[in-house]
Amino acid sequence: MTRIALDSGSDRQFDVEGMRRAAELLATANVDVIAWNGTSGSWLGPQHDREIVAEITAATGIPATTSTLAYLDAFREFGTETVGLVTPYTADVNLEVVARYAAEGVRVCGHRALGLSDNESFARVGREELLPGSLELAAERPDALVYLCTNLYGAPLVADVEERTGVAALDSVAVTLWRCLQLAGAPLLDPRWGKLLA
């Protein structure tokens, strides 16, 4: 994935066929679960990711998930109805996410978009850029904060944000891992990664 934008060139990066071929290679390692650790379904729509998961499982016989579907599973499991959304994306991508979440019964009560589109730049976003917006969104008392992007380092921040605000903080990679552990029947992890994995 090189660029996130609302255009066909960007969307082609998320073709189901490419995901299926990659999953077939991963399946040779006798894994218990295969995950598309990406959030594109959050703006393309969860049906896109449901098709990816169905294709992966049909091709490999292995349970599968995606970051978007893992978030939706977490929202259902924990009764999450409102979220504050933090992304590195542009505002138009955020607005698509807001609409897709609303269609799934989750209201975004506030969001912060850092205005980036180059995937590599997402990983350079530091704690000092994420924390102020996170605290502002948490002050609105959503059920959870969502750090949406698997190349955004939200996980190291979640325990601090949760302690300061009392609001659950959900990082995309951590949420995907949580769902993979569930599907594999494995135990959860250390509380330093936030309430979700503890």
Side-chain angles (χ1 to χ4, degrees):
M1 306 304 130
T2 58
R3 186 176 64 87
I4 302 300
L6 299 181
D7 60 53
S8 60
S10 175
D11 292 352
R12 276 195 296 276
Q13 299 172 107
F14 311 112
D15 284 346
V16 174
E17 175 64 21
M19 301 293 177
R20 183 191 54 73
R21 286 194 316 270
E24 287 172 337
L25 292 173
L26 291 171
T28 64
N30 294 320
V31 296
D32 295 314
V33 179
I34 295 175
W36 157 232
N37 195 29
T39 54
S40 60
S42 297
W43 62 87
L44 296 176
Q47 186 54 35
H48 173 268
D49 282 20
R50 291 181 183 113
E51 290 171 12
I52 289 172
V53 165
E55 186 77 19
I56 288 171
T57 300
T60 66
I62 296 170
T65 191
T66 72
S67 296
T68 297
L69 297 180
Y71 267 121
L72 295 177
D73 289 334
F75 295 159
R76 278 189 292 276
E77 184 157 329
F78 296 103
T80 304
E81 297 177 353
T82 60
V83 299
L85 178 66
V86 180
T87 81
Y89 309 135
T90 54
D92 59 340
V93 174
N94 268 24
L95 293 175
E96 279 297 313
V97 175
V98 169
R100 300 298 184 164
Y101 276 14
E104 295 292 321
V106 176
R107 184 173 65 86
V108 176
C109 57
H111 66 94
R112 299 292 181 276
L114 297 178
L116 304 173
S117 59
D118 173 57
N119 193 33
E120 196 231 329
S121 69
F122 303 161
R124 287 190 245 117
V125 173
R127 172 188 178 87
E128 66 284 351
E129 293 174 84
L130 292 176
L131 188 57
S134 300
L135 297 178
E136 290 169 10
L137 290 170
E140 298 176 31
R141 306 309 301 164
D143 295 329
L145 290 179
V146 169
Y147 294 99
L148 187 72
C149 177
T150 55
N151 210 12
L152 184 70
Y153 293 122
L157 192 65
V158 297
D160 182 32
V161 169
E162 288 179 347
E163 185 176 324
R164 288 189 195 206
T165 68
V167 174
L170 308 176
D171 168 76
S172 296
V173 174
V175 169
T176 308
L177 175 59
W178 165 81
R179 185 63 180 131
C180 287
L181 291 170
Q182 278 189 328
L183 289 170
L188 296 180
L189 302 177
D190 192 283
R192 69 185 170 139
W193 300 113
K195 294 174 186 172
L196 179 73
L197 293 175

